[in-house]
Amino acid sequence: MTTEPTARGGCSVPARRDPLTDLGAAIGTRCRATDPLLVCVPHAGGGPAAYLPLARSLAAHDVPIRILGVRPTGREVAADQGAAGLDDLVRDLAEEVTGRAADAPVLVLGHCTGAPVALHLTRALESRSVPVDRLILVARLLRSTDPADYVVTGAGLSYAEIADQLVTGPCGAHEQDPAGRAALAEAFRRDTALATHALYQALDDVDGHRVAAPATVVLARDDTLTADYPAAVGNWDLFLPQRRLVLVEHGGHYLNVTRPDLLASVIERDLAALRPPP
């Protein structure tokens, strides 16, 4: 982490880093400041680059939208300090999005562990009078509505168990050396702890975390992590005024890689239903 001197000159504090990556710029697309803004909060172990396929698909369909990928800075905080990491991440994201949104429509996408963080970010933006036009929750269910079920104990999965899961995912664990796999497993663990803290906080104060934004929930039938969706998908309605479910037959858990065109079509439909520009 970079540092910068304090006013007294004798100490240093961590320099604030932008938690957002402009994915449109990364693929060479040009957008206007008035174009809608899509903020993507990644799955456990993922980062902004995980949504480059989505950015390319939207560009290929000439969808005028600015796409920002979140770098989960909460990974720098130990798992047992996840609440502080969550608050800092959401505050920094809300500040950055507020500065970039202006009067443009805003969509927030949260993927798996990113979904609870996306809920918090949506609430934080609305509290700043920045309306979120659509909250998109990908590959995530809220199985329990009891906050006690989301207390982080610090045990969780071992590095080996996490690495085994990541080998089958899009994070490239199979291509990394042991040190790289361990770092990826640690990111996975901290992202999961952060999301669990987010759900605990939300369920412990449901009234304080309800959002005004309508939501789209996107699930695949062959995703083993969301196979029980019929019994659980409605639990999201604790926080949402309106929800539509997009259920697809295949694509698994990592739809950002397996079905970017599908996610692009979901976003296009949500954009078509946005409020008229001011």
Side-chain angles (χ1 to χ4, degrees):
M1 178 180 291
T2 58
T3 60
E4 57 188 15
T6 64
R8 295 183 179 181
C11 302
S12 62
V13 296
R16 186 176 180 278
R17 296 190 295 183
D18 186 348
L20 295 169
T21 297
D22 186 339
L23 298 179
I27 64 172
T29 60
R30 293 185 178 181
C31 297
R32 302 170 300 175
T34 55
D35 286 338
L37 190 66
L38 171 65
V39 182
C40 297
V41 188
H43 51 74
Y51 299 91
L52 285 172
L54 173 59
R56 294 189 183 101
S57 181
L58 288 166
H61 289 85
D62 296 321
V63 179
I65 190 168
R66 294 173 289 157
I67 308 176
L68 302 176
V70 171
R71 295 200 306 272
T73 55
R75 290 175 185 168
E76 300 162 5
V77 179
D80 60 358
Q81 297 176 310
L86 173 68
D87 293 343
D88 290 345
L89 175 61
V90 170
R91 182 196 63 242
D92 290 348
L93 286 172
E95 288 178 2
E96 289 294 333
V97 174
T98 298
R100 301 185 195 215
D103 292 324
V106 175
L107 296 84
V108 177
L109 183 152
H111 190 158
C112 191
T113 55
V117 179
L119 178 70
H120 280 254
L121 174 58
T122 298
R123 184 69 188 91
L125 288 169
E126 291 176 349
S127 71
R128 292 167 176 257
S129 299
V130 179
V132 173
D133 293 86
R134 201 80 187 184
L135 173 61
I136 304 170
L137 306 176
V138 179
R140 181 70 188 216
L141 296 174
L142 181 62
R143 288 188 173 83
S144 171
T145 59
D146 183 352
D149 289 334
Y150 299 96
V151 175
V152 177
T153 63
L157 297 175
S158 69
Y159 288 148
E161 290 170 322
I162 294 170
D164 285 343
Q165 290 188 25
L166 292 177
V167 166
T168 62
C171 299
H174 61 288
E175 300 173 355
Q176 299 192 28
D177 58 21
R181 288 194 294 272
L184 188 56
E186 178 64 13
F188 190 103
R189 173 182 282 179
R190 293 192 181 191
D191 288 351
T192 301
L194 201 73
T196 303
H197 278 293
L199 290 174
Y200 173 83
Q201 289 187 359
L203 289 166
D204 193 49
D205 178 19
V206 172
D207 289 342
H209 290 83
R210 287 195 179 98
V211 298
T216 301
V217 179
V218 187
L219 306 172
R221 289 185 187 273
D222 62 348
D223 181 359
T224 58
L225 296 179
T226 59
D228 56 339
Y229 74 90
V233 69
N235 288 337
W236 281 123
D237 295 345
L238 280 174
F239 304 104
L240 309 172
Q242 179 185 343
R243 167 183 55 85
R244 76 179 178 101
L245 173 63
V246 176
L247 186 64
V248 297
E249 293 299 320
H250 67 91
H253 191 65
Y254 297 102
L255 293 168
N256 55 306
V257 172
T258 61
R259 303 289 302 276
D261 287 343
L262 164 72
L263 289 183
S265 69
V266 169
I267 291 163
E268 285 188 84
R269 176 173 171 178
D270 286 339
L271 284 172
L274 291 185
R275 68 184 191 279

